[in-house]
Amino acid sequence: MEAKKIAAERAVDYIEDNMVVGLGTGSTAYWAIKKLGLRVKNGLDIRTIATSKESEGLARELGIKLVSFSEIKEIDITIDGADEVDRHYNLIKGGGGALLREKIVAASSKQFIVVVDGSKMVNELGKFPLPVEVVRFAYERTTKKLSDLGCQAILRKSKDKVFITDNGNYIIDCHFDSIKDSKELHKNINMIPGVVDNGLFVNMANRVIVGHSNGIIEEFKV
Ligand code: 5RP
């Protein structure tokens, strides 16, 4: 049983006609978009906002209606994955490099549903390197300032090329190993000039759906 798939598909049960839906990014959100595509084919009437060019492309392929922020007041439900979820339901996101749009979309949503497999649930955040989106100008200095916060800060590359986000920025992956106070760290990172945003999503999730390979699905209302 595909753990990510069953969690994502369960989240799609919350989507109703006339809703504005935020589409997440990554291999778990993929299954939610696929399921939404099937429901749209069967008559579900929704409008969606994507968190990445990748998800936008998939939605378009599946015939799901896409809109921009100028066409809506707010988003009813966003469904997205995460790299880590701690016991307070705070998250690390951005493994796929889409953290900025993901955070804007989640922050604009009445309900933010996080879908993960069991391996993403942790006691404490930080084993997964925290992605930080930075502008290209003076990124060397920004990287140094990030490492001064107590991490190993590494410019993300993909196939030997510097990874560029959908917004034209760089990602610095910050290896903290353990994050004791995610709220404080979030604030300290975002105070560094050159940082656009970071992958800590503190007090943002409203519901976390966890899929397990034995078919069991756990749901936590936050
Ligand atoms: C992309 C993300 C993803 O939600 C996160 O990386 C989880 O990905 P996956 O569902 O593929 O495990 O934040 O920026």
Side-chain angles (χ1 to χ4, degrees):
M1 184 84 58
E2 170 64 83
K4 292 182 175 189
K5 183 169 185 254
I6 57 173
E9 292 191 343
R10 168 67 65 84
V12 173
D13 291 345
Y14 288 96
I15 307 301
E16 295 168 6
D17 266 335
N18 300 317
M19 280 186 169
V20 178
V21 181
L23 306 177
T25 296
S27 58
T28 316
Y30 166 88
W31 291 114
I33 300 171
K34 287 284 273 192
K35 187 69 193 282
L36 277 173
L38 205 65
R39 287 192 57 195
V40 164
K41 217 171 156 196
N42 291 327
L44 178 73
D45 184 15
I46 53 167
R47 293 176 297 157
T48 66
I49 295 237
T51 55
S52 63
K53 290 180 182 164
E54 187 189 320
S55 295
E56 191 179 313
L58 178 61
R60 193 163 284 126
E61 246 173 56
L62 297 169
I64 300 173
K65 195 185 293 170
L66 287 151
V67 288
S68 65
F69 268 90
S70 62
E71 296 167 84
I72 57 151
K73 280 209 187 74
E74 61 185 346
I75 297 168
D76 293 290
I77 295 180
T78 287
I79 302 171
D80 202 353
D83 300 298
E84 283 185 346
V85 180
D86 76 7
R87 56 188 193 281
H88 306 293
Y89 307 107
N90 295 323
L91 324 170
I92 286 186
K93 284 185 52 54
L99 68 97
L100 178 60
R101 294 189 188 193
E102 288 173 340
K103 196 178 275 185
I104 294 170
V105 169
S108 313
S109 304
K110 284 194 261 181
Q111 261 212 80
F112 176 35
I113 305 181
V114 177
V115 287
V116 290
D117 65 42
S119 71
K120 307 285 184 71
M121 302 303 286
V122 297
N123 268 329
E124 185 182 82
L125 299 177
K127 278 271 177 296
F128 191 92
L130 176 65
V132 179
E133 181 154 348
V134 307
V135 296
R136 298 191 205 187
F137 180 77
Y139 80 90
E140 302 89 338
R141 177 190 184 276
T142 313
T143 305
K144 168 73 174 67
K145 289 287 169 195
L146 285 166
S147 63
D148 289 348
L149 293 176
C151 66
Q152 197 192 359
I154 299 172
L155 178 65
R156 185 179 297 184
K157 295 200 175 147
S158 168
K159 291 181 195 135
D160 279 347
K161 279 198 174 153
V162 178
F163 177 88
I164 311 280
T165 70
D166 283 351
N167 317 299
N169 297 314
Y170 288 164
I171 295 278
I172 310 295
D173 288 307
C174 295
H175 298 247
F176 282 98
D177 201 38
S178 107
I179 295 173
K180 297 287 173 222
D181 187 340
S182 37
K183 201 172 168 184
E184 183 69 9
L185 182 64
H186 180 274
K187 190 181 79 191
N188 290 339
I189 291 177
N190 282 11
M191 270 167 40
I192 299 172
V195 167
V196 184
D197 211 333
N198 73 81
L200 284 169
F201 284 49
V202 180
N203 293 329
M204 291 187 75
N206 301 109
R207 189 177 290 273
V208 176
I209 302 179
V210 188
H212 297 277
S213 49
N214 58 5
I216 289 176
I217 302 174
E218 291 179 288
E219 250 190 90
F220 303 97
K221 195 173 177 311
V222 185

